[in-house]
Amino acid sequence: MLLSGESGVGKTRLVQELAVQAADEGAIVLVGTAIDLGAEPPCWPVVSALRSFLRPSGRQWARDLLRPWLPELIRLLEPLHPDQTLRQLEDRSRPLELVCRVVAELATRAPVLLVIEDLHWAGRSTRDLLTYLLASLTEEAVLAVGTFQTDAVGPGHPLRSLLAALRRHRRVYLHDVRPLTRDTVASIVGACIPGDEVLVDLVWQRSEGNAFIVEQTLRAAQEGNASAVPLTLRELVLDRVAGLPSAARRVTRVLALGEGAVEHRLLARIVDLPEAELLAALRAAVDAAVIVVDPVADGYKLRHGLMKDVLATDLLPGERIELHRRYGAALGQLAPACDPAVTVSLAHHWYLAGEVDKALSATVSAAQAAERMRGFAEAHRQWLRALELIECRHLSEPAEFTRAELGERAAETAHLAGEHDQAVAVLRKCLQTCADPGGLRTAMLTAQLGRYLLAGGRSAEAVQAYQRATALMPTGASGQQRSLVLGGLAQALLQTGHFSASRRYAGHALVLAQQAGALPEQAQVLATLGFSLGYLENPDAGLAALAESLRIAELTSRPTAVGQAYQHWAELLSGPLNELAEGVEVARQGVGRMAALGLSRTVGVKLLAMAANGLFRLGRWDEAAAAIEQAWALRPLGAESLEVRLARCRLLIGRGHFDAAEQDLEVVETLSTTTVGPRYRVPLLTLRAGLQMWQGHPEVARRLVREGLAVVEQAADDLWLLAPLVWHGLRAEAEVATHIPGRRTDDLDKLREQMQNLAVRGAAAVPAVRASVRAYLDLCEAEESRATGHSAPKLWARAAATWEGHRHPYPAAYARLRQAEALFVRGSRSATAAQALHAAYRTARALDARPFLAEITDLAARAHIHLVDTADPDHSPLQALRPGRRTRWADVAVPELAELTAREFEVLTELAKGLTNREIAERLFISEKTVSVHVSHILAKIGARTRVQASAILYRVRSLHPELDVAPVGADGPGRSRGTARQ
């Protein structure tokens, strides 16, 4: 539940009352608040809530319950200060998975209420945590409640994209807390000061229903003359504080610059009053409802954020600087420097105090603390801030990092946070200022740039970067360094479909890695080599290399290497090798492993997309939809978001959600620029072509296929990309030939050349790839016969049998539909045709493939085939030849059409669409001469002299009797079938 509203409207009070009630009823209540520091510590609201929850000695039961995760939880809540590299940090689970496990385990004891206030200030990790909890906790008794200020979430605010995604989720509720009504304000005033209508008007005019202003105005009125109540909120707050003793006013000014609740001992250091005077001042401010006590934090804060804003603004510049300096000094003396919240606060206060040298040191510490908590987005912001301090304030570099190293850390943390484009931008800037142009350092940074480009889906640019890095490698580079660069180049070439070159570079890199004893590099190279080897030469050897890659990756505890092995393994099985069920199972195993290793949002998303694609091909569309939803809930970016959108688009097109599919394709088109290479461009163009054919635009589909063929030339080794594209091209040619007779171009000849190319290269491929290519060639040959006007039933039957053998129900059903259509066109209404159409119908119904189902039922209606919903063993295919039960025009008293036979009525319906006799004959599978006879009889029976008059009579009848379901004139355009035109 997300509560929005203006500041002071009552959101906090609402969740406070909820927390009290939930705790009274036995729930576990966790309450945290985001803080306005510009760079909040990772997952701070939840981390602080768990700290407070586990602190009391009476909660030993909670520590016992969480014992399996307690060591890691302690490191999260009370982080130590180890000297770890980012590579080592990759090996630790993210806080997201840990917090999710903790919340789920607490929910086994009692329902959990998790409250996160002020989400508009929350950092990236906190927003990600909300999404992760939503995706992961499906059955647990957990209620997460977040609040945010509506006026603080303007255009471009990072919370807006999260809200847009959450609004579509069935388990998310958004509620805008509106101001109080005048009647409610009147009842509140009446309960305090009965019978004073003047005061009711005054409170209403000043507050307009804002709960905080209602409360403060009413309190001021109770303490003095109602007519003397200040007119503005600022005057109201300042007037209340002015009435406090001097020491109490001093305390309120200190709290105005604090973040959250300020602990008593910290406040005492900053205020610098004798303890007795401080306590007296606090008591006076609490009694006046200006300060409230926070028992969880053992500290104090101002009554409301509005009060805090007013008092902070009222401070003089010198007062503000001095107080920030006092905060910095006190925090440095009292709090552990390794605490992420402390380091962020120190950086914030020292910066605003003008102590930029101390701010730089604290900022670097804050970045390191965020890294240890795997809050890479927050760490990235801190590293960038440190760079800004050096560049803009001309500070000297911190002792532990050079300026170049700060930039590299900023780039790496952006990459680990999934912000690959930002990582590329930062690292390119580092390369421009590199002090070793043309040397080893430049070569390694350029290879690192290739890694970021590859992660962001910009494969072609990544190849170029790795090639530059390879050329820059000096003779003195170690074998491990050379292996790292060559392995990256092999991986980039694999992504662009250059499998032969990828295999060559991977083999060289593997030898270097083995000679150097570099196990992490061996794991990476073996994954790349395994895929290309399995695709091009020997599937068994390729799968063995992938298994060895996974073994070494697990041995070295490198999550990214483990993910890469799972990814290539699943892709090889469920793609060209056509081992769909096994590929889906490997992908699902990988998803679980990635969750444990903290890579759910990157590699885990890719594996979910692969599982969805495999399930789609297996005909398990509902499971595919669930996998896509699980992946999308993780809010993927970069290449991962392209994978998920393409997987979702296949399902959306199959089920007829064309507008949503178009939106996904537009996003992929925007994200996948021309530099992305064929890996995403070709599937994108293939899907676009299919969508255009379903929407009745085969000419547009032809253009898209031509564009795709130009792109796929860059991936000469990838038959798996080329084969479906060629089939779609021939489908488009067949559609154009069917609906625009005589329209010919040289596209058909070019596609025939591509078919021959596929046949030659497929014959030389390994058996599994050869079989997959052969299945597409069967469809291509059958489509070619349809494109030339002689659709061959035997070719379609062969294609259907091939795809049924591969356990791909969707293309098999499509081939069965075309087989039946070809038989009907030849004048055969045999049991074979009915059986083929019936098989296609059952598959379409099971998949809920609505556009395909519409095409099948349209063909059945024109061929007078009665379709049944289930496979009945006693149902003979010959029974399907009986016409279905139809509404008769005589039954609804239509005298104009009463004399028409059933066939004449069908002819009239097609005639009213503007079809010629020849086109009607093709539609109804009868001869053109027979159509001419029917038209003559129709005109005579309904008293029309022309086809236009007959069409007008039918259109009028339809307007009076819509139950006849007669299509209006030109419903599908001249010469266009309602179903087939969209195929």
Side-chain angles (χ1 to χ4, degrees), residues 552-577:
I552 295 176
E554 292 283 12
L555 185 66
T556 57
S557 301
R558 294 289 295 276
T560 52
V562 173
Q564 187 180 44
Y566 270 115
Q567 184 179 339
H568 288 323
W569 195 357
E571 186 177 10
L572 182 63
L573 286 168
S574 60
L577 298 188

Side-chain angles (χ1 to χ4, degrees), residues 49-63:
L50 286 171
R51 279 183 181 180
S52 302
F53 178 75
L54 294 173
R55 184 178 300 158
S57 57
R59 298 264 167 78
Q60 183 60 42
W61 63 266
R63 286 183 281 274

Side-chain angles (χ1 to χ4, degrees), residues 53 127 193 302 405 499 600 961:
F53 178 75
R127 298 193 300 272
I193 307 176
L302 293 173
E405 288 170 338
F499 299 142
S600 290
H961 303 284

